[in-house]
Amino acid sequence: MSKEMILEKQQQAIQILNEKNIDMWITFVRETGNIKDPMMDMLVGTNATWHSAFIITKSGETIAIIGSLEEANMKTVGTFKTIIPYLKSVRDDLRQVLIDRNPEKIAINFSQNSSLADGLTHGLYLDLLKYLEGTPFSDRFISSEEIISALRGRKSQTEIAIMKEAIAHTLQIFDEVGKFLKAGITEKDVAEFVFKKVEERGFGFAWEKEYCPSVFSGPDTAGAHSGPTNRIIKPGHVVNMDFGINYKGYCSDLQRTWYILKEGETEAPAEVLHGFNVIKKSIELAAKAIKPGVVAHEIDSIARNYIVENGYEEYPHGLGHQVGRAAHDGGALLAPKWERYGNLPYMTLEENQVFTIEPRLTIPGFGIATVEVEVVVTKDGCEWLAPNQEEIVLVKA
Amino acid sequence: MSKEMILEKQQQAIQILNEKNIDMWITFVRETGNIKDPMMDMLVGTNATWHSAFIITKSGETIAIIGSLEEANMKTVGTFKTIIPYLKSVRDDLRQVLIDRNPEKIAINFSQNSSLADGLTHGLYLDLLKYLEGTPFSDRFISSEEIISALRGRKSQTEIAIMKEAIAHTLQIFDEVGKFLKAGITEKDVAEFVFKKVEERGFGFAWEKEYCPSVFSGPDTAGAHSGPTNRIIKPGHVVNMDFGINYKGYCSDLQRTWYILKEGETEAPAEVLHGFNVIKKSIELAAKAIKPGVVAHEIDSIARNYIVENGYEEYPHGLGHQVGRAAHDGGALLAPKWERYGNLPYMTLEENQVFTIEPRLTIPGFGIATVEVEVVVTKDGCEWLAPNQEEIVLVKA
């Protein structure tokens, strides 16, 4: 992320601290080359080796307390106004910064609900308590999840413009895959084809290459979050692909479905068309209900219920997640009220959040139908960033 | 890391659990695409999206409790013998696995001392307590740092062989840099040259490219852990570079020092030679003292004292760290007893650990002299994997 974009995000963070009346936000880290707080790229723009505190205050200060060997680097990076280098321990400087400002509400980088707000490891948390022993500050800790949910969720127009470009490039690769597909090749062949397209255009992958793309062919596929296999694509298979790129630091995340025609067929069988159309319609219904203020799990229910009413099994995951610099971004999640999703399904939608919508269903004997789109929440509804798939794409065997 | 190497490391982990009498080791994670426990590559070999517990027991079991959508992927990856998929919450399966085995000592992936053993975020730790509420298990938690220190520290012969290759490739690039160096080019030019060499050979970088390599020229350099600048290399400068590659998953980490001759000079000035020789000698003295059973900070003291006795300022960092899959690897650290290093300087050395030795000193008016070597601890001493630099390399302006 460029220095300019980081400074813009810091300004946005200061506004959010004021809006939520939080005096100070501390991101406490170490050895980010080994394990990196997910906010480092957006807030700091470089690594930290020794215990380091990156602090933003409601009054607009930005303070980095870092190991002295990294002082010159932090100055070069230029994202923090006040840089406090230490030699032997972060303890004294950290205490002093807190004592001088006496913040009443201190957001810390941990969260039970959001992995993006949970960069503080437990060992580091214990260190933080140790360093602040005898002060009142650790009693004033709250989770930074509200700040991060707003900061990552509310996309700027610049961010949305980049995400639109990412989507356009991704859809082009989906088109090319449609032309490449035929009976006799394997899921892995499709993945190799996609790798080539991504790499020759200099894009990155939106998530780990081992299942980016995921490719699923036919009735006996492995299911979501699996890598492509040596399974051979055959006539009569429903094929789909889950895939996204990382473009200028932003991810896309899309899915499309194809059908491989059997000899003599000129269109997909009725069961396939029906399954596909139920998916398509469930996405339309969900998108229609999206607007600021709606509780996230309600959107999931709309698609889930429609699919179940049509006689299919419910999908074993959430309907959609936010997208941004991370493929799974932001706070609010379009998901059912299952424990594994924490409080994210209970959060309300806000303007400028970007969501995927990605229901799935199994068409017995043929494969999995799934379409994934991206929408951005607008003032009174949502706008499609990546359109719905209007028709299942037919592929000649 | 290949499946075979992961299974080998798991076997080693089981031996370590027996040696240290720890009944069970749990690595608890979620959304490793956003924040990844540093042990995932070595233990699991794939990502986990939902709350997941990767468990190894003293009796030799390997158990993965994971979100159901990732069951097929875990089977394909094939690194865990027992795979338990869940739909709505990890709670019940996790409790059941613990109740069935009733472990008395449970190592968990957190540590105040070692970032590599500190992959459990604080939010996840709170989740873990919540899931185990009403059971005795959370009272039996200990840090996994001892296990990880042994597991990452004790290199197999396969690992050492790969690391030797990594070092040979790295030293070759240092040689090429020596030929490329001349007055008038900038630190950044040197870095660009190195980038090209690394990329055309298909290597990775041992740490973030922004300061890999670090290049320091002359008396006014930025200091360690800084990126290369537009500073121009001039006659009379001492130049050094800190650089390593990632080769087949293993890192190298080396430093070398050059001197840019002034017109008419045929060798470096006496002050430069003296500074360089003090560095070289301090490394020899430290290496001579390395053997199993020695406490790590004692090695640091040997080099540190020798440098100070010779009238130079002590270096503001540790003498050396372990290297492996991470540039900063393992537990025991050749560092002074400063708070920022936790208990790592108090640990004892073990056979097959690989350490850097990297003292530094400033030669006033000329620049920084620093050499970094790698050694592996043997049964009764150490073996040089990357040799000491015998002489400062002279560069014609």
Side-chain angles (χ1 to χ4, degrees), chain A residues 30 46-47 69-70 87-89 91 111-112 118 120-123 127 208 210 224-225 328 339-340, chain B residues 30-31 46-47 69-70 87-89 91 111-112 118 120-123 127 208 210 224-225 339-340:
Chain A
R30 72 169 159 191
T46 186
N47 266 346
L69 278 178
E70 290 175 331
L87 180 61
K88 297 194 178 178
S89 168
R91 181 196 302 260
S111 165
Q112 286 181 257
D118 195 29
L120 180 69
T121 55
H122 183 58
D127 279 347
E208 292 229 337
E210 63 188 338
H225 285 231
H328 288 183
E339 181 166 29
R340 77 177 194 201
Chain B
R30 73 168 160 193
E31 286 283 6
T46 186
N47 267 347
L69 278 178
E70 290 174 333
L87 178 61
K88 297 194 178 178
S89 169
R91 181 197 302 259
S111 167
Q112 286 181 259
D118 196 27
L120 181 68
T121 55
H122 183 57
D127 279 347
E208 292 228 337
E210 63 188 336
H225 285 231
E339 182 167 29
R340 78 177 193 201

Side-chain angles (χ1 to χ4, degrees), chain A residues 57-349:
Chain A
T57 70
K58 201 171 73 173
S59 67
E61 288 184 287
T62 60
I63 305 163
I65 311 176
I66 55 169
S68 55
L69 278 178
E70 290 175 331
E71 182 185 5
N73 185 50
M74 270 308 298
K75 283 185 179 159
T76 310
V77 173
T79 48
F80 276 73
K81 276 179 277 188
T82 306
I83 298 171
I84 304 175
Y86 71 85
L87 180 61
K88 297 194 178 178
S89 168
V90 73
R91 181 196 302 260
D92 295 344
D93 292 310
L94 180 62
R95 288 167 78 99
Q96 202 53 55
V97 163
L98 286 164
I99 289 166
D100 289 348
R101 287 157 189 83
N102 196 24
E104 286 181 15
K105 222 170 164 186
I106 308 169
I108 300 290
N109 51 328
F110 79 95
S111 165
Q112 286 181 257
N113 298 299
S114 162
S115 67
L116 292 164
D118 195 29
L120 180 69
T121 55
H122 183 58
L124 268 187
Y125 172 77
L126 297 177
D127 279 347
L128 194 56
L129 295 188
K130 184 180 72 181
Y131 295 145
L132 297 179
E133 218 175 298
T135 74
F137 300 117
S138 56
D139 294 334
R140 303 177 186 175
F141 286 175
I142 59 167
S143 164
S144 58
E145 64 193 32
E146 264 193 283
I147 301 170
I148 289 169
S149 166
L151 190 60
R152 298 192 72 113
R154 299 174 192 168
K155 304 288 190 292
S156 70
Q157 291 312 306
T158 320
E159 290 180 297
I160 290 172
I162 296 174
M163 292 181 75
K164 279 184 181 171
E165 286 180 57
I167 287 169
H169 289 302
T170 310
L171 285 175
Q172 194 184 334
I173 293 176
F174 271 98
D175 278 351
E176 290 165 355
V177 166
K179 284 165 195 149
F180 175 75
L181 272 180
K182 61 179 179 201
I185 63 174
T186 66
E187 292 173 359
K188 277 192 178 160
D189 292 333
V190 176
E192 285 300 329
F193 176 83
V194 171
F195 290 163
K196 227 184 99 201
K197 296 292 167 196
V198 171
E199 281 155 10
E200 76 192 17
R201 289 165 206 182
F203 305 146
F205 292 87
W207 56 91
E208 292 229 337
K209 205 176 149 181
E210 63 188 338
Y211 45 95
C212 186
S214 288
V215 183
F216 305 107
S217 184
D220 310 307
T221 62
H225 285 231
S226 297
T229 69
N230 287 319
R231 191 172 288 113
I232 292 167
I233 296 172
K234 291 181 180 158
H237 278 191
V238 170
V239 178
N240 64 68
M241 184 169 95
D242 187 356
F243 165 64
I245 62 172
N246 187 307
Y247 176 77
K248 297 184 179 172
Y250 287 80
C251 294
S252 60
D253 185 0
L254 299 172
Q255 297 180 54
R256 290 293 187 251
T257 294
W258 298 272
Y259 176 72
I260 314 292
L261 291 165
K262 287 185 184 168
E263 217 182 303
E265 279 182 336
T266 53
E267 65 171 318
E271 307 96 290
V272 171
L273 287 176
H274 186 254
F276 177 83
N277 286 327
V278 167
I279 284 294
K280 178 181 139 188
K281 180 77 180 179
S282 74
I283 293 174
E284 274 167 26
L285 293 172
K288 205 174 279 176
I290 288 177
K291 63 181 179 188
V294 175
V295 179
H297 65 73
E298 291 174 7
I299 306 297
D300 176 84
S301 292
I302 292 169
R304 189 174 300 272
N305 292 343
Y306 182 76
I307 287 168
V308 172
E309 282 161 17
N310 275 276
Y312 297 98
E313 234 177 272
E314 62 179 316
Y315 41 90
H317 53 69
L319 177 67
H321 52 82
Q322 291 185 58
V323 201
R325 294 187 67 80
H328 288 183
D329 208 320
L333 190 71
L334 310 180
K337 298 180 274 181
W338 296 346
E339 181 166 29
R340 77 177 194 201
Y341 295 122
N343 79 340
L344 304 183
Y346 300 88
M347 295 177 78
T348 53
L349 308 193

Side-chain angles (χ1 to χ4, degrees), chain B residues 227-291:
Chain B
T229 69
N230 287 320
R231 190 172 290 113
I232 292 167
I233 295 172
K234 291 181 181 158
H237 277 190
V238 170
V239 178
N240 64 68
M241 184 168 94
D242 188 356
F243 166 63
I245 62 172
N246 186 308
Y247 176 76
K248 297 184 180 173
Y250 287 79
C251 294
S252 60
D253 185 1
L254 300 172
Q255 296 180 55
R256 290 293 186 253
T257 294
W258 298 271
Y259 176 71
I260 313 292
L261 291 164
K262 286 185 186 168
E263 217 180 302
E265 280 181 336
T266 55
E267 65 172 318
E271 307 95 292
V272 171
L273 287 176
H274 186 255
F276 178 83
N277 286 327
V278 167
I279 284 295
K280 178 181 138 186
K281 180 78 179 178
S282 74
I283 292 174
E284 275 168 26
L285 293 171
K288 204 175 279 177
I290 287 176
K291 64 180 179 191

Side-chain angles (χ1 to χ4, degrees), chain B residues 102-114:
Chain B
N102 197 23
E104 287 182 14
K105 223 170 161 185
I106 308 168
I108 301 290
N109 52 327
F110 80 95
S111 167
Q112 286 181 259
N113 298 299
S114 162

